[in-house]
Each structure stands twice: as C-alpha cells, then as structure tokens.
Amino acid sequence: MRKNMLIILLFFVITFVMAEMPRLTFPLLGAANTDVSDSVGKGQTVNTQLLPHSAKSDSTVIDTTTQVLADTAKMDSLQKAIWMHNKAIDDSLRADSINRQRKNGIDAPVEYTAEDSMTYEGASGLAHLYGQSHVKYQDMDLQSDQIFMQLDSSLVHATGSLDSLGKKFGTPIFKMGSDTYENDTIAFNFKTKKGLISDVYTQQDDGYMTAQLAKRGANGEIYLQHGRYTTCDKDHPDFYIALSRAKMRPGKDVVFGPAYLVVADVPLPFAIPYGFFPFSKSYSSGFIMPTYGDETSRGFYLRDGGYYFAINDKMDLKLLGEIYTKGSWGLSAASNYRKRYKYSGSFFASYQNTVNGEKNMPDYTKATSFKVQWSHRQDSKANPYSSLSASVNFATSSYERNNLTSMYNPQAMTQSTRTSSVSWSTTFSSIGMSLSSTFNLNQNMRDSTIALTLPDLNISISRFYPFKRRHAVGKERWYEKISMSYTGQLSNSISTKEDRLMHSSLTRDWRNGMQHSIPISGNFTLFGYLNINPSLTFTDRMYTQKQELSWDEATQTVKRDTLQGFYNVYNWAFSVSASTKLYGMYIPSRKVFGDKIMAVRHVVTPSVSFNYAPDFSASRYGFYKTYQKTDADGNVSLVEYSPYEGSLYGVPGRGKTGSISMDLSNNIEMKVKSDADSTGVKKISIIDELGASMSYNMAAEERPWSDLSTRLRLKLTKSYTLNINAVFATYAYEADSVGARPYIGTHTEYSKGRFGRFQGMSQNLSYTLDNKKVSDLIKWLKGERPKRKNDRDSRANRDDDYDTGVETNVDEDMERGKHGARKDNAGKAETDEDGYMAFNLPWSLSLGYGVTMRENTSGKFNYDSMRYPYKFTQNLNVSGNLRISDGWNISFSSGYDFENHKISMTTASLSRDLHCFNMSCSVVLAPYTSYNFSFRCNAATLTDALKYDKRSSYSNAVQWY
C-alpha cells in the first residue's frame, strides 16, 4: 500500500516540475489590438491599397492563432525550427493561400481615397471614408461623400451627406464597365457583385430609368420597384411611363409589368399590362409595326409594316408592305450601307399594284407602278485618282399619284421632271489623262417621255506643249507657247416613252456615235500690251448609221433607208482674238468734294476676235445630198438634206463662216478714306461691269450684223448684286403696205436714225428682310451706328448642332429658335438695361420678284412706230418665318401669278417644340387644299409608340374660302 502511494506521489511531483519549466518565446512585432483606430487629419487625402493575403511578404508572417506578428529574423535556428514545425502542424489549413482567398473574396488590389478623413477599426475590419471618397476595384468605380467598407466580408456601403440646409449632396455614383448608376444609397458586395440601390438613376441610350428601390444581380441585371422610364433629361421629367416592377438588362432591354403613362404629373388612362423597351448599341433585327387607316378609293389599309434585317455593321435591309381592303397592295425595300473611309449610300425600291373602285363597275381601274432610288458616294480618302457617285431617282409617271404618302406632299405631286445620273471617273496623272463615264436619265412626268444615255464615255488629255524644250536655255521661244489637248466622247442615247423603252431596238431606235476634238492654241504678247490668242479646233464624228432619203411619187411621202456601217464626219474652225486693258484715273476737285474721295478709276477692256470655217455643205465633203421631189402638180424641185441629220453629235452647218466679234467692258471704282477699315482705305464699286457685244458675219449675203447684247452689273450691297441683261435688235421691221404682215428687212435701225430695237429683258430680284435689318435701319436714320455682330463671338455662343459651317439660305438663328424649349433658360423673359422686359420677336420675310419683258409678236403691230407691243410676265414669291417665343415657330410661303391673276400654292405651318414632344400643323390652301397634324415624341425609341397623326383625306378637298 505504501509502495503504491509512493509511486503516485512521484508521478505528481514529476508533473508539477514539468509544468514549471520555461516556454520558448519569439520576438514580437506587435500585439493584436481589438480596438485600433487610425485617423488622418482633416483636409488630407488618404490613398491606400488593401492587398490579398497571397501578396504579403515572407519576412513578416501573420500568426492567425494568437493574432500576433512574429519576427523570424530575431530567432535563432532552434527557435525558428520549432516555430515553423508548430505552424505546419497547428495552422496549415489557416495558412493555405487558397483558403485565405476563399475567405474574404478579394483577389485584386482595392484602391480607396478620401478627401476629408479615413478611420479604420481593426477588430471589425470596417473602414470609414469621408469627403469625396473614391473606391476602385477591378472594373468597379464608386464615388460618394461617405463610404463604409467591410473588408473581411467584401461589402461596401455608400451614401451622401446633408448640408446645413438639410439638402443632400455627394450622392453615390457607381460605375461598372460601361454602366453608370446615380443613386441615393448603395450597398455592394465585391465578391458576389450584387447590390441593393435606393433611388437609382441610370441612362440607357436616349432613355432614363429611375426607381425607388433596385436590386442588382451578379450578371448586371437590375430588378426595379416603382420605376419610371422617360426620354426627358430634366430632373423632374415632363412625362414618364410608370412601371410597377421591371427588370432591366443594361445595353439590352427593359421588361416591365403593368405600366401607365404620366404627363405633367397627371396619370393618364393609358395602361398596358406588359411591354419592353429594347436597348442596343449595335444593329438588331426585328418586326416593324404597321400603321392603319382608311382611304376613300382603296378602303381600309395596313401600311409601312414589315421586318428590319440587321445584316452587319456595314449594311441593313428594311422590307415593308401595304395592303388595302379593295385589292391594292405594295412592297418596298430599303437599304443603307457604309464602309468607313471607302463609300456610303442608300437604295430604295417600291412596287405598287393599285386598284380603284369596285370590280365590274365603270370606275374600276387597275395600274402597276414602281420607283427606284439609289444614292452612292465614295469617300475622297478611298482613292484620290478614281471616284464613283450615283444619284438615281426613277419612277413611273403613275407612282406619285398612287402613293399615299405623296398625296399629302405638294412638291411630290407637282414635280414634272426627274433626273438620274451615275458617274465614274479615273485619272492617270503620269500622262495627264482622265477617263469618265456617266449614265443619265431624264423623265418628263407629264407625258411619260424618257431621255436615256447609256453610256456616255469621256476621254480627255490635259493641255500640253509639244514644242517646249525639256531643258530650256535662254528666253522662251514663240513656238514653245503653242499648246494642244484632246477630248473624246462616246455616247449611246434614246428618247422614247417609258412603256416603249424595253421594246426598243439598239440599232434602229438608239443613237450612238463617237466624237473627237483637238484644240490647238497659243498665247502671244505684241508690243507689250496687246494679247493675241490664235486657236485651231479640229472635230471628228464617227457614226454607225446614216439615212438615205428619196421621194415616193405614188404615196407623195419621203422614204427613209437606214444604212449600217462606219461613217466619218469632220470639220475644223480657226479663230484669233486680241484684247488689252486701258486704265484711266480721275482725282476729284478737293474744293468741291473735299479729301474724302481719293481717286476714281475707270478700266476699259476692249476685245476683238475673228472666226473662220469653210462651207462643209460643199459636194466634195459629202456631208449633204439632194433628192428630186415631184409633187402632185408635177412641179419638180431638188431638196437638200444631210444623211447624218438627227445624229447624236449633229453635222457641220451649211455655209462658210467668217465673223468678227467685238466686245467692250467697263469698270468704275472709287477709293475713299474710311475709319472702319484697318487700312484706312475703302474701295467702292460704282459700276462693277457695263458691257456690250456685237458681231459681223462676213460670209452672210444679207443682214450680216448681229443683235446688240448689253449687260450691267451693280454691287448694291455686300450680299446682293444686281444683274441686268438686254438685247437690242439691229435690223428694222418693214412692211410693203399698211395691214401687210411685217417682216425683218435688210435696213438697220441705225440707218433710220433710231437706236436698236429693244428685244426685251428678264430679271429676278430677291431680298430677305428681318427684324435686325429693320432695327439697324431705324438706328441709321436716327444717326446712330448699328452694332456689328462679331462672327467669332456669335459662333462661340452657338450650338454645334445648328452651326454647320456651310453657307446656306437657311437662317440659323430661326432654326435654333424652333428648338428653344430645350434651352436651360427657356421661357424666361430677358430684360434690357433699364430693367424692362425686352421685346424680342424674331421674324424674317423673303420677297422674290421676277419680271420678263419680250416683244409680243402675236399682238397688234404699230405701223407708225414700226414696233410690236411689249408683253410683261411677272411673278411674286413670298415666304417668311415668325418665332413667337422659344419653341414656337410659324412659317408660310405663297405667291401671285400676274398672268393668270391667281394666288399660287400657299402653305402655312405651325410648330411647337415641347422639349420631349414636337407638335406641328401644316395647311395647304391652294391649289391642293389639305391639312396635316402631327404630335409625337422626339426620342427615336418612342417616336413610333407615342404619336398622334391626323391628316385630311386626299379625296375630300374642301373649299374653305
């Protein structure tokens, strides 16, 4: 018993002795503090990076068991071995890098800054950022006045602050990728990329989404509660679609449940149970909803519905159709294409099958029509030496009458001609040659006549000097000034009706040929003042057919035989001209005119030219022939004709040509002193040009003198120049007796002591008057100097959307005023220097007056004065704009036909820019009475959904006056 007690006592002694042995200790960097607070002084910026565990240095290791940092550099080998052995056994799972990343979820640096201050609680791992705080993590960017980060759980919470007035500022702005969200409060998880947002505001394309509460998913989708969708960019939108709940996928679409329209905070009884708004930054295909209505002659219709194909980023296709209850239908296709720095264009084709009236009824008609439009433009950067452009506008004569859209467009309905062209050109700069080809089509919509040229090929070689020395030494020789060039043209054309075009024969109906032109010219100076310019032009024509004419006595008609082959027709002409300039200077008397007028200069430019061409109707050339004609009475005569008459490039004219042409031009300018000009001198044009020209035909047997042509050009203002042209006949009327038909005799008006007979003139005058010009005129009459607007300052204050930099007749201020409701200060009255409300009612009025004066040869002849009466043709056009206020605009256009004593087409329109909506109303008063009212949303997303159109029917033309 004692032995057992002794053994137990020894065991306890050994146990207590071992318990009292000292432990191995390690140098510590610092102990864990469960309540650590680190603050930075106010006004300083803190920039810190929180790194993941795997990025820590190996020299300092975190002991996660005791929450202390051990300095292994101060350990001896035994202590370090024991410490590393215990770490491997006791903390191997906790030290594993994969488990450390899996714990807090941060696998990239988190950058955060604060303008005011930052606090950090080590125990809870919570960081507080104050004053314009900014947090970045991967592609996430968060800005707010206050941000709270829970670093251990990857949570971030941001909210704004309140100022002394209780107004919130510095609200969070969260960006992730290309999406931006403005909100009141946001809580976001870095790891799951999910968040909870209150009062969210985000923009998608041209629409804006707001919601009281939103939840963001891991894939970026947002679930909205009590949301709003609008295209209005105001903080308090003019209208919105109230969404009870919705799901938004940024960049894709918004799908929503029950929704209703709210305008000016007034809910409207327009609700839909389900809908979606697509968002797409790239092309996407989809259906196009049709419009419906009724038309008197064709019945109810569905039109402009179809499908849109987004083929790729360079090309699209839109297919539309229309159908009417009485059997009419139509199809159309439209495409746009563009390749950057290469080319761009559009294509449109439409086919219509129109049925009017009831079948088996007298008014029943059926017609087919089509239209093709093509526009192509090559970028100048694509190829500087070659270009291709197209402007095709072809339609059958019945298309516009059967097209419902054109019925309400007076310009389309009254268009009488259409032109189409496709041109291609290339240049060979090394040899100075250019090659071009064009396709031309002219349509007369009134009689369905078509003039088609396919193709028209042109070859030209620029001017060159064949005798010029390659290495010139000394002065230039006279023969080195001789130059020549070449122009060739190949063409194939036809003029026919549109229904006969496809049935025409290429050899019988089409006219084709080729023409060559080689001009040779020189430029010489005689006596140092006289310029001499001789030239010789050779023209050659090549045809593939000619017509032989003969007289058929039995039928008393001309027989035409078309001969196929190769035929050559040529001619040449020689000309020489001489011109010089004479200057005269006149200094007015200082006693009479003072020293304001410095000098008056008169420039006289006389020129004389001589032209000669032989008679190519001579028999040796073979360009003209004769046939014998025997009429029914047995009279025999010879009829001269040309087998090439009516050919594409014609035939040389009959008779020898030898004419002398004379021209005299005058210019008078005055130089005056001016304080407004920086040079102190200003030039004033008194007569910009006063000229007259006349010619004498030496080969003519009678009436060799031509009519006298005069011209006058006056620069009335900087922006307006008056041009007047008048013709005076040289030879007088003669009559054998009173009552006999007068004729132009061989005696000149000058030989009878009279000036040349006035033939007539035509002149168009136009001027635009606006409120500023009237105001400047009133100030000028009062003796005040009007303030000139600085173009540089005015351009700086303009909106780039309306300042195109292209000089046009459109008043940019008026166009900008039409959209004045979108300005920040829209509707606010401006005051003058005295504090009174400034009167501002911009307007413009354009007046155009055209007058033509001609001899009325169908009128009664005056045998006393030997003159016909003159006939005046006048027309007056008036158009104007009136801007009542910002966003309100009234425009009108009208005219008066003095010959028919009727008012021409009169139109008036009223438009109102309502910031988010646009309202317009147009009225055509005469001769096609109609109206059109439109109210629609400006945004492209809702322009087809939120709209109201009302127009008069084409068949109900009501006489309103």
Side-chain angles (χ1 to χ4, degrees):
M1 185 66 183
R2 291 181 179 179
K3 185 178 180 180
N4 293 334
M5 291 294 294
L6 181 60
I7 294 174
I8 294 173
L9 181 60
L10 290 174
F11 175 78
F12 279 104
V13 170
I14 295 173
T15 302
F16 283 112
V17 172
M18 293 296 297
E20 291 294 326
M21 291 183 64
R23 297 167 53 192
L24 291 175
T25 59
F26 308 99
L28 303 179
L29 289 177
N33 189 357
T34 59
D35 189 12
V36 178
S37 178
D38 182 15
S39 63
V40 183
K42 189 173 183 180
Q44 300 179 0
T45 301
V46 181
N47 191 348
T48 310
Q49 287 192 358
L50 179 64
L51 302 177
H53 285 216
S54 58
K56 296 291 183 180
S57 175
D58 291 339
S59 62
T60 303
V61 183
I62 301 177
D63 187 350
T64 57
T65 305
T66 59
Q67 294 293 326
V68 295
L69 302 176
D71 190 358
T72 57
K74 295 182 180 181
M75 300 180 187
D76 56 19
S77 58
L78 180 59
Q79 292 173 338
K80 187 174 181 180
I82 295 174
W83 189 87
M84 293 298 294
H85 176 74
N86 292 335
K87 287 296 297 179
I89 297 174
D90 298 337
D91 204 23
S92 60
L93 294 177
R94 194 179 296 242
D96 185 66
S97 61
I98 297 178
N99 286 293
R100 287 202 306 268
Q101 291 182 8
R102 187 177 300 166
K103 178 183 177 182
N104 59 15
I106 299 178
D107 54 0
V110 178
E111 299 180 6
Y112 50 93
T113 60
E115 184 70 22
D116 187 284
S117 60
M118 182 191 74
T119 63
Y120 174 71
E121 297 179 3
S124 60
L126 184 62
H128 300 263
L129 308 179
Y130 299 97
Q132 298 184 11
S133 305
H134 195 183
V135 176
K136 287 185 178 180
Y137 175 71
Q138 293 181 346
D139 62 341
M140 290 173 283
D141 190 312
L142 178 62
Q143 300 181 30
S144 181
D145 192 70
Q146 296 185 42
I147 299 178
F148 309 97
M149 294 191 303
Q150 190 73 34
L151 301 181
D152 292 341
S153 59
S154 306
L155 292 177
V156 61
H157 182 84
T159 184
S161 302
L162 297 177
D163 57 11
S164 58
L165 300 177
K167 185 178 180 180
K168 183 168 288 190
F169 67 94
T171 54
I173 300 177
F174 179 70
K175 298 180 181 179
M176 187 169 184
S178 59
D179 302 327
T180 302
Y181 308 96
E182 299 180 15
N183 44 78
D184 182 76
T185 305
I186 182 174
F188 191 77
N189 190 308
F190 286 154
K191 179 180 178 181
T192 62
K193 297 183 179 180
K194 296 181 179 180
L196 187 65
I197 310 172
S198 62
D199 294 335
V200 64
Y201 176 86
T202 182
Q203 180 179 1
Q204 297 292 327
D205 290 345
D206 54 357
Y208 303 90
M209 290 291 301
T210 60
Q212 293 182 1
L213 188 63
K215 178 181 179 182
R216 188 188 188 279
N219 297 324
E221 69 276 7
I222 299 178
Y223 301 90
L224 306 174
Q225 184 179 9
H226 301 298
R228 296 178 178 180
Y229 177 81
T230 181
T231 57
C232 181
D233 56 357
K234 292 183 178 180
D235 295 336
H236 190 77
D238 298 331
F239 83 100
Y240 60 87
I241 299 177
L243 314 175
S244 58
R245 51 185 177 179
K247 175 183 178 181
M248 181 180 69
R249 296 187 299 174
K252 294 183 179 180
D253 54 28
V254 170
V255 182
F256 55 89
Y260 57 93
L261 182 64
V262 178
V263 178
D265 295 333
V266 178
L268 300 182
F270 297 108
I272 51 176
Y274 169 82
F276 76 98
F277 297 116
F279 303 134
S280 179
K281 297 180 181 179
S282 61
Y283 287 107
S284 60
S285 302
F287 288 97
I288 301 175
M289 299 303 294
T291 59
Y292 61 90
D294 68 293
E295 207 268 328
T296 304
S297 58
R298 285 176 280 187
F300 293 95
Y301 63 81
L302 287 175
R303 60 189 304 267
D304 295 337
Y307 196 84
Y308 178 80
F309 296 91
I311 300 176
N312 50 42
D313 292 339
K314 301 179 180 64
M315 185 177 182
D316 65 353
L317 176 63
K318 180 171 63 174
L319 297 179
L320 299 178
E322 58 184 34
I323 186 171
Y324 299 80
T325 55
K326 293 186 179 181
S328 300
W329 58 274
L331 294 174
S332 64
S335 177
N336 296 280
Y337 57 90
R338 179 182 180 88
K339 189 173 184 180
R340 184 174 296 180
Y341 308 124
K342 291 293 184 180
Y343 52 80
S344 62
S346 61
F347 178 81
F348 173 80
S350 177
Y351 178 84
Q352 291 179 341
N353 184 20
T354 305
V355 178
N356 289 320
E358 299 292 341
K359 200 169 184 180
N360 300 324
M361 297 297 291
D363 60 346
Y364 177 80
T365 60
K366 184 177 181 181
T368 59
S369 56
F370 66 93
K371 182 178 183 179
V372 177
Q373 288 181 320
W374 178 39
S375 175
H376 179 87
R377 186 184 68 87
Q378 179 178 309
D379 198 305
S380 58
K381 305 181 185 65
N383 191 341
Y385 303 105
S386 180
S387 65
L388 174 65
S389 63
S391 177
V392 177
N393 184 14
F394 176 80
T396 56
S397 57
S398 60
Y399 180 84
E400 301 298 348
R401 294 194 301 268
N402 297 329
N403 185 265
L404 189 61
T405 304
S406 302
M407 293 179 181
Y408 305 99
N409 187 351
Q411 294 181 352
M413 288 292 295
T414 58
Q415 187 177 14
S416 59
T417 59
R418 290 179 182 269
T419 58
S420 302
S421 64
V422 178
S423 61
W424 169 81
S425 64
T426 185
T427 303
F428 303 92
S429 58
S430 58
I431 59 176
M433 186 178 74
S434 62
L435 179 66
S436 64
S437 180
T438 60
F439 154 78
N440 297 310
L441 176 64
N442 296 323
Q443 287 182 267
N444 190 330
M445 307 303 292
R446 295 181 178 178
D447 58 2
S448 68
T449 302
I450 290 180
L452 175 63
T453 302
L454 178 68
D456 188 5
L457 182 64
N458 295 272
I459 305 172
S460 64
I461 298 177
S462 58
R463 179 183 299 180
F464 63 96
Y465 297 85
F467 305 110
K468 202 174 188 67
R469 291 172 292 175
R470 185 180 297 271
H471 304 287
V473 178
K475 294 183 178 180
E476 189 178 21
R477 313 291 173 82
W478 67 270
Y479 54 82
E480 291 183 310
K481 298 180 180 181
I482 299 176
S483 64
M484 62 184 304
S485 61
Y486 168 79
T487 302
Q489 186 177 6
L490 173 66
S491 186
N492 185 35
S493 66
I494 187 175
S495 180
T496 183
K497 298 290 185 178
E498 64 181 32
D499 56 346
R500 302 177 187 172
L501 178 62
M502 304 306 297
H503 303 285
S504 60
S505 174
L506 183 62
T507 57
R508 295 191 307 269
D509 301 327
W510 288 72
R511 298 186 305 163
N512 44 60
M514 188 172 184
Q515 179 177 265
H516 310 272
S517 179
I518 303 176
I520 304 172
S521 62
N523 186 3
F524 310 100
T525 303
L526 294 181
F527 314 114
Y529 301 101
L530 191 61
N531 297 321
I532 306 297
N533 301 100
S535 65
L536 175 65
T537 303
F538 177 79
T539 304
D540 182 72
R541 306 167 185 86
M542 298 178 180
Y543 298 129
T544 58
Q545 63 182 12
K546 69 176 181 178
Q547 290 185 345
E548 296 284 353
L549 304 184
S550 61
W551 181 257
D552 189 353
E553 296 184 12
T555 60
Q556 290 292 304
T557 58
V558 178
K559 295 178 59 177
R560 297 178 180 269
D561 295 330
T562 302
L563 303 180
Q564 303 293 332
F566 179 79
Y567 307 99
N568 198 49
V569 180
Y570 66 91
N571 70 295
W572 60 270
F574 173 77
S575 67
V576 59
S577 64
S579 64
T580 187
K581 283 183 180 294
L582 304 176
Y583 295 88
M585 197 75 67
Y586 171 70
I587 299 177
S589 174
R590 303 299 183 190
K591 296 181 180 180
V592 179
F593 298 98
D595 59 351
K596 185 72 173 179
I597 302 176
M598 300 178 62
V600 178
R601 189 184 70 172
H602 182 200
V603 181
V604 181
T605 308
S607 64
V608 179
S609 63
F610 169 74
N611 299 277
Y612 172 77
D615 184 9
F616 289 98
S617 63
S619 59
R620 65 178 180 271
Y621 294 105
F623 301 154
Y624 287 87
K625 293 184 178 182
T626 60
Y627 66 88
Q628 182 175 316
K629 177 183 177 181
T630 304
D631 58 13
D633 298 331
N635 299 321
V636 179
S637 60
L638 288 178
V639 179
E640 188 179 21
Y641 74 98
S642 174
Y644 311 102
E645 189 174 355
S647 299
L648 197 61
Y649 300 109
V651 65
R654 297 185 182 93
K656 182 174 62 175
T657 301
S659 63
I660 299 176
S661 300
M662 296 160 286
D663 186 90
L664 185 65
S665 178
N666 296 268
N667 172 265
I668 301 177
E669 290 182 343
M670 181 171 59
K671 184 182 291 186
V672 298
K673 295 181 179 180
S674 175
D675 298 333
D677 197 285
S678 59
T679 60
V681 178
K682 181 180 180 181
K683 289 184 179 180
I684 299 176
S685 176
I686 300 176
I687 299 178
D688 196 56
E689 185 185 14
L690 173 62
S693 61
M694 200 173 186
S695 64
Y696 179 81
N697 189 359
M698 297 182 297
E701 297 180 357
E702 59 180 17
R703 294 193 295 273
W705 289 100
S706 69
D707 294 339
L708 177 64
S709 299
T710 59
R711 58 190 181 274
L712 175 64
R713 185 172 67 244
L714 301 175
K715 287 187 176 180
L716 300 181
T717 63
K718 289 184 178 180
S719 58
Y720 183 74
T721 301
L722 176 64
N723 291 278
I724 300 177
N725 298 306
V727 179
F728 297 88
T730 301
Y731 294 94
Y733 285 116
E734 295 181 4
D736 297 336
S737 61
V738 176
R741 184 176 180 84
Y743 60 92
I744 298 177
T746 58
H747 298 86
T748 64
E749 294 278 359
Y750 309 99
S751 64
K752 296 181 180 294
R754 300 191 298 260
F755 193 73
R757 187 176 68 258
F758 183 62
Q759 292 285 90
M761 58 164 290
S762 62
Q763 180 62 38
N764 292 317
L765 303 175
S766 62
Y767 189 76
T768 300
L769 191 66
D770 56 24
N771 55 317
K772 187 173 186 310
K773 292 180 180 179
V774 174
S775 176
D776 292 343
L777 178 61
I778 295 175
K779 291 181 180 179
W780 182 78
L781 294 176
K782 292 181 179 180
E784 302 176 4
R785 176 175 293 182
K787 294 182 180 180
R788 297 185 178 272
K789 186 185 293 185
N790 193 343
D791 294 339
R792 183 177 301 175
D793 296 339
S794 61
R795 287 196 187 98
N797 297 328
R798 289 179 178 176
D799 191 354
D800 294 338
D801 294 339
Y802 305 99
D803 188 11
T804 59
V806 180
E807 185 178 356
T808 62
N809 294 326
V810 178
D811 191 343
E812 294 181 0
D813 294 333
M814 294 296 295
E815 290 296 321
R816 193 178 297 103
K818 295 179 183 179
H819 307 278
R822 305 179 190 179
K823 298 190 301 183
D824 295 336
N825 60 346
K828 296 181 179 179
E830 298 180 359
T831 57
D832 56 13
E833 298 176 354
D834 300 328
Y836 294 99
M837 185 177 68
F839 177 76
N840 186 18
L841 194 67
W843 57 271
S844 66
L845 181 66
S846 298
L847 300 173
Y849 175 73
V851 57
T852 302
M853 180 181 177
R854 289 287 183 269
E855 272 189 320
N856 186 13
T857 56
S858 60
K860 186 177 180 180
F861 186 77
N862 189 337
Y863 290 92
D864 294 332
S865 61
M866 299 300 291
R867 291 284 193 275
Y868 276 108
Y870 292 100
K871 179 181 180 181
F872 289 88
T873 303
Q874 308 173 69
N875 59 79
L876 177 66
N877 297 317
V878 182
S879 62
N881 288 277
L882 175 63
R883 180 155 58 92
I884 303 175
S885 64
D886 289 332
W888 280 101
N889 189 76
I890 298 175
S891 61
F892 68 93
S893 64
S894 183
Y896 186 78
D897 189 348
F898 291 90
E899 185 173 358
N900 297 321
H901 303 286
K902 289 183 179 181
I903 297 177
S904 60
M905 181 176 293
T906 303
T907 61
S909 64
L910 171 67
S911 63
R912 169 60 168 156
D913 183 16
L914 299 171
H915 187 266
C916 301
F917 288 84
N918 184 276
M919 180 186 67
S920 64
C921 179
S922 60
V923 179
V924 179
L925 298 177
Y928 303 100
T929 305
S930 63
Y931 70 89
N932 184 8
F933 177 80
S934 175
F935 182 84
R936 59 180 60 213
C937 183
N938 290 330
T941 308
L942 299 177
T943 185
D944 292 329
L946 298 180
K947 67 175 182 178
Y948 176 76
D949 293 327
K950 180 64 176 176
R951 60 180 61 180
S952 60
S953 176
Y954 174 70
S955 57
N956 334 326
V958 182
Q959 189 71 23
W960 293 346
Y961 54 91

